[in-house]
């Protein structure tokens, strides 16, 4: 038997070449990454445009994953590894459960599916319809957004409705920024592939995508689980002010500590302000400029 961890080459959704951690077994290569510490396996499958999950392992005959129908698989696999490395290296977290859980992604879910989600056990990505979205695994901030839903589920457990749900969404957007800090947009690498410069949401200017950025404009609605993708603009704007003031290095420590230590399933925006202030106090002191920047950020979005 000649099973072995191998290194392959692949083409991503946007035509870029990347190196892949793959696995060779019985004459076939798999998107199966055994290189992470403490057993966190990263594995990628395809739903073959149907809805059955997880589908079947993505395979290749020669470890050159360059076919057009493999691009979504390549990016889902590669970016899941990047996000695993981020949580391990930056926050000493071993996978989303901090116990080396395998990270499973399935691409080619249904047809023309303009959506991505964490289903409680794995990530799932549509291919998009080519107008609203390109295949959604083609953006690192999208993959980080989805894996962070899993981290949130295993830590704060923020209930996916109303203010706690908007915080859940915001945490995923904020860690999407930490993974992809080149811009304040979310999903820009896969959103409207025929239009450049736009994204699904903006941390710096939520209004440009129909989101409020102040408590006074909180949207009371029953749709979207109480507007979780709408009202996330308010904590997202606070995060923008915070990061712009204290920088990514301190902000990501504060956000990770608040998410994993202080937030609870029913936390609201005011509780989030307190959690982030407590984390800032723990890490940098309650008289620090860092602490004051966090307080100022939430004051500016109208959260007391
Ligand atoms: C595209 C999409 C649709 C519905 C829900 C989500 C969701 O995961 O909440 C979603 O993914 C995102 O928001 C990622 C950041 C681009
Ligand atoms: Ca981005
Ligand atoms: Zn989300």
């Amino acid at each position: 038997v000649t099973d072995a961890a191998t290194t392959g080459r692949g083409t991503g959704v946007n035509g870029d070449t990347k190196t892949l951690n793959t696995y060779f077994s019985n004459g076939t290569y798999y998107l199966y990454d055994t290189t992470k510490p403490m057993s966190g396996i990263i594995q990628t499958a395809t739903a073959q445009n149907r809805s059955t999950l997880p589908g079947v392992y993505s395979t290749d005959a020669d470890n050159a994953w360059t076919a057009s129908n493999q691009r979504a698989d390549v990016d889902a696999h590669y970016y899941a590894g990047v996000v695993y490395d981020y949580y391990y290296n930056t926050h000493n977290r071993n996978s989303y459960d901090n116990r080396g859980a395998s990270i499973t992604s399935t691409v080619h879910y249904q047809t023309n599916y303009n959506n991505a989600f964490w289903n409680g056990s794995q990530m799932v990505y549509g291919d998009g319809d080519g107008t609203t979205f390109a295949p959604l695994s083609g953006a690192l901030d999208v993959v980080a957004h989805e894996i962070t839903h899993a981290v949130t589920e295993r830590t704060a457990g923020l209930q996916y409705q109303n203010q706690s749900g908007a915080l859940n969404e915001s945490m995923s957007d904020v860690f999407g920024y930490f993974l992809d800090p080149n811009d304040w947009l979310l999903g820009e690498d896969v959103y409207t592939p025929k239009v450049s410069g736009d994204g699904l949401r903006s941390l710096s200017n939520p209004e440009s995508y129909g989101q409020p950025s102040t408590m006074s404009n909180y949207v009371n609605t029953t749709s979207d689980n109480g507007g979780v993708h709408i009202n996330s603009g308010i904590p997202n704007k606070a995060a923008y002010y915070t990061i712009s003031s204290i920088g990514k290095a301190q902000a990501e420590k504060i956000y990770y500590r608040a998410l994993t230590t202080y937030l609870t399933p029913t936390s609201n925006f005011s509780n989030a302000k307190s959690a982030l202030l407590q984390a800032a106090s723990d890490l940098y002191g309650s008289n620090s400029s860092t602490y004051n920047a966090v307080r100022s950020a939430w004051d500016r979005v109208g959260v007391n």
Side-chain angles (χ1 to χ4, degrees), residues 240-258:
Y240 163 71
Y241 287 139
T242 302
I243 296 164
S244 299
S245 174
I246 66 175
K248 173 175 175 290
Q250 289 194 351
E252 62 194 345
K253 292 286 185 195
I254 290 167
Y255 271 81
Y256 183 78
R257 183 170 178 79

Side-chain angles (χ1 to χ4, degrees), residues 141 180 183 185-188:
D141 55 9
D180 168 37
D183 52 60
L185 293 173
L186 251 295
E188 70 284 352

Side-chain angles (χ1 to χ4, degrees), residues 3 7 22 52 159 164 199 214 229 237:
D3 285 18
T7 302
T22 58
T52 309
Q159 290 174 2
S164 56
T214 59
H229 293 95
K237 183 77 177 206

